[in-house]
Amino acid sequence: MIAAQTAFADTTAWRVRWTNEPTRHMELGVPAGAPVHHRHQAPTWVVATATLEDRPVAISGSADRTVRIWDLLGGKQIGDPLTGHGDVVAAVDVTTVEGRPVAVTGSWDGTVRIWDLFSGEQVGDPLTGHLGGVTGLATTMIDGRPVAVTTGFDRTVRVWDLVERRQVGESMTGHADGLPSLAVAVVDDRPVAVTGGADRTVRIWDLADGQQIGDPLTGNTGIVFPVAITAVDGRPVAVTGSSDETVRTWDLINRCQIGEPMTGHEGVVSTLATTTVGGRPVLIAGGQDDLLRMWDLATREPLGALLAGHTGWILSVATTTIDGRSVAVSGSDDGTLRMWDLAQYVETPTPAARRPVRAVTTAIVDGRHVVVTGNGDDGIQLWDTASGAPAGAIDTGDDPVDVLATADLDGRAVAVTAGADHTIRTWDLALGAPLGAPLAGHTGPVSGIAVAAVDGAPVVVTASHDKSVRVWNLTDGTEIGPPRVKDRRWVRAVATTGVDGRPTAVIGNRNGTLSLRPLATNREIAPVASGAGGKPILHVATAAAGGRSFAITSSEQHTTVRCWDLGGQDVTRSLTAGYVTALAATSIDDRAVAVTAARQAVQVWDLATCEQIGPAMNFPQTVTAVAIDPQGLLIVCFAGNTAVLTPVPG
């Protein structure tokens, strides 16, 4: 059993007890259950990685004009955003100046700025000189002094002394159009920059004397966007991506293309980074198709699985090492920053997709408190509530588990689900096996299930697309009363509670009303009007406390959740929760409490007052199912993951 939790009256926040969120990748700034949603408010344009006080960090720049620092171990933002740029922060790199770690950033506002990463303060005045936006930036050492090399819309390459904060030498020119990016390295003992241009050429520059080395490298049929430099078989190579959907490698000694272009991207290749995974040189490339791809640079062949998770154009990627493992950090047009464990994608080329959790509840199985989830075609999964360890699984065969409830049947914990053949099935959670014959009668998909007890006997209420609501005695499988068939269209939502001392089914109707049906007879009482404009009710949950029975509902095209006093047969108030994807309710210490999920945000409510309890919590993906346990536990399912949260006292 789980020990009783803190009374919700004293709760100011929740903490994650456990989550089975995969470590394959995570969105930075949105840890499960975080009360504050730190993220860029516009596309994440650029990212670099570094080590700050022995901790791996990422520094990102965005179209929201801010620079942010991220703790890669904790997945959280460090400090406040760094502000000062007046336009898109399009370039960033990290170096050390006079013993202090600094970030150097370039912006479309035409300036280069230096930031002390310990204090978060800007160092000196902005560096100016570019006659347009700065689009590319990298740091290196020339004659023992730290410098930044920049490119921009003005088609120039410039070198800046970061100690004296001034431009060094003349601007380097030669490209016929703007320069999206550059990379720097030492080749034949000379510091060089490699630039890619909108003129479709790649050029190499000697940073010591400011001269172009050799002729431009040609072959691309589109704009050359990103540039990276690495070593393959001991030879320095440049890697470029282009709007012609190709990735190319270039020998920097012989100044020629190596082999055929790498193809497979669908759209512009806008960002590149290199690293080593399992001893081999690896390229990570991303762009317009929202995916990151890996390439073995020695063979120029695709490597491992696609890195999928972003929902917008990938604009930046950088690599680092955490605990000896190669990691990539990517930024996207979707405003997010994500971290990827590259070895997992190489070692598991075709990872099994985790299906979204469609339904979640709790149960006591052989004296053990467990979380029970329905994962679509993946059947029923059981998790130990205290530790998160798997506690069993039930293969439901061809029956997807999209609706689920649990009950006690003759001392056995059971789950009740709807079958693909429109029957109702009961499963012994301890044995992992079906129990009894399926309950037949529905002629359409079942969209809602709820359980209750009538005169000590467990009953289940089911709502279906066949427009009917049925009540079943789980002990003997008999149907109670005639099926309720009234609506012209299907009924989606159903819950149970006590109303005026009678176990009652609460049904959400297509016309925005609620119907109340005592479970002993399954005959309707007067419907409860909504005042919600007649929009179909999609979700309903109930709780009883203080002698009052409450229901909460969400409806199509409404961004509010309505709270109903069922005894008074009236809508009491509304909860401002946004467009709801899941909701649940229960009674805790004679207090009616609800939890709502609006896409990625989760809120907890007191139904008697309709006031929010504690701060809103945020999750990395859209929340698909929630539950609230009478002991005070929150269970939140997002994508294929489950998290259990406990209240923290105020």
Side-chain angles (χ1 to χ4, degrees), residues 202-566:
V202 177
R203 299 175 188 248
I204 309 171
W205 308 86
D206 188 318
L207 294 177
D209 62 17
Q211 299 300 310
Q212 183 175 313
I213 301 173
D215 294 329
L217 308 180
T218 59
N220 283 108
T221 59
I223 297 172
V224 181
F225 276 101
V227 179
I229 299 177
T230 189
V232 177
D233 296 329
R235 294 184 66 83
V237 301
V239 188
T240 59
S242 170
S243 62
D244 64 14
E245 303 184 0
T246 68
V247 176
R248 299 171 190 255
T249 54
W250 311 85
D251 186 315
L252 291 180
I253 300 294
N254 296 326
R255 296 190 294 280
C256 63
Q257 184 173 318
I258 302 171
E260 294 298 316
M262 292 174 269
T263 60
H265 290 273
E266 299 178 1
V268 175
V269 181
S270 53
T271 184
L272 301 170
T274 61
T275 188
T276 300
V277 181
R280 54 183 153 186
V282 171
L283 172 75
I284 301 95
Q288 190 175 6
D289 59 8
D290 305 350
L291 299 170
L292 287 166
R293 288 173 167 82
M294 289 189 290
W295 304 86
D296 186 320
L297 282 174
T299 63
R300 296 189 304 282
E301 293 293 328
L303 180 64
L306 297 176
L307 281 61
H310 283 296
T311 58
W313 192 322
I314 299 176
L315 302 173
S316 57
V317 65
T319 59
T320 188
T321 301
I322 299 178
D323 294 332
R325 297 181 71 85
S326 296
V327 169
V329 182
S330 57
S332 167
D333 185 62
D334 63 16
T336 68
L337 204 68
R338 292 181 180 266
M339 183 167 65
W340 314 79
D341 184 334
L342 298 179
Q344 292 192 39
Y345 286 86
V346 171
E347 295 162 0
T348 313
T350 55
R354 300 187 70 177
R355 296 183 182 276
V357 176
R358 299 298 185 188
V360 62
T361 185
T362 59
I364 305 296
V365 180
D366 288 340
R368 185 181 186 185
H369 194 287
V370 298
V371 173
V372 185
T373 60
N375 297 58
D377 295 337
D378 291 340
I380 300 171
Q381 307 289 327
L382 278 67
W383 311 89
D384 185 280
T385 306
S387 67
I394 300 176
D395 183 356
T396 57
D398 295 331
D399 290 335
V401 182
D402 294 327
V403 290
L404 167 73
T406 56
D408 182 277
L409 179 60
D410 297 329
R412 289 174 294 184
V414 300
V416 185
T417 65
D421 58 2
H422 311 152
T423 63
I424 311 303
R425 298 174 185 265
T426 306
W427 308 86
D428 188 311
L429 291 176
L431 299 178
L435 189 63
L439 307 179
H442 283 297
T443 59
V446 176
S447 51
I449 286 181
V451 297
V454 177
D455 297 328
V459 300
V460 60
V461 186
T462 56
S464 171
H465 287 218
D466 65 10
K467 311 171 196 173
S468 74
V469 175
R470 296 174 182 261
V471 181
W472 318 78
N473 185 317
L474 277 183
T475 302
D476 57 19
T478 58
E479 192 168 350
I480 300 173
R484 176 259 200 184
V485 183
K486 181 178 180 181
D487 283 297
R488 290 177 296 171
R489 302 178 70 183
W490 54 265
V491 179
R492 175 166 177 171
V494 64
T496 60
T497 189
V499 178
D500 297 330
R502 294 181 294 181
T504 301
V506 182
I507 301 156
N509 298 319
R510 294 284 303 185
N511 62 2
T513 64
L514 288 180
S515 294
L516 305 181
R517 298 179 72 85
L519 295 176
T521 61
N522 194 22
R523 295 185 181 278
E524 185 168 318
I525 309 173
V528 185
S530 71
K535 299 297 182 181
I537 291 177
L538 300 183
H539 305 92
V540 60
T542 57
R548 300 169 67 188
S549 296
F550 299 95
I552 56 170
T553 61
S554 68
S555 300
E556 286 183 356
Q557 303 175 15
H558 275 272
T559 57
T560 59
V561 172
R562 297 192 174 266
C563 180
W564 313 62
D565 185 330
L566 298 178

Side-chain angles (χ1 to χ4, degrees), residues 180-205:
S181 61
L182 63 78
V184 297
V186 176
V187 177
D188 284 342
D189 297 323
R190 291 188 292 182
V192 302
V194 180
T195 56
D199 60 6
R200 306 177 183 179
T201 68
V202 177
R203 299 175 188 248
I204 309 171
W205 308 86

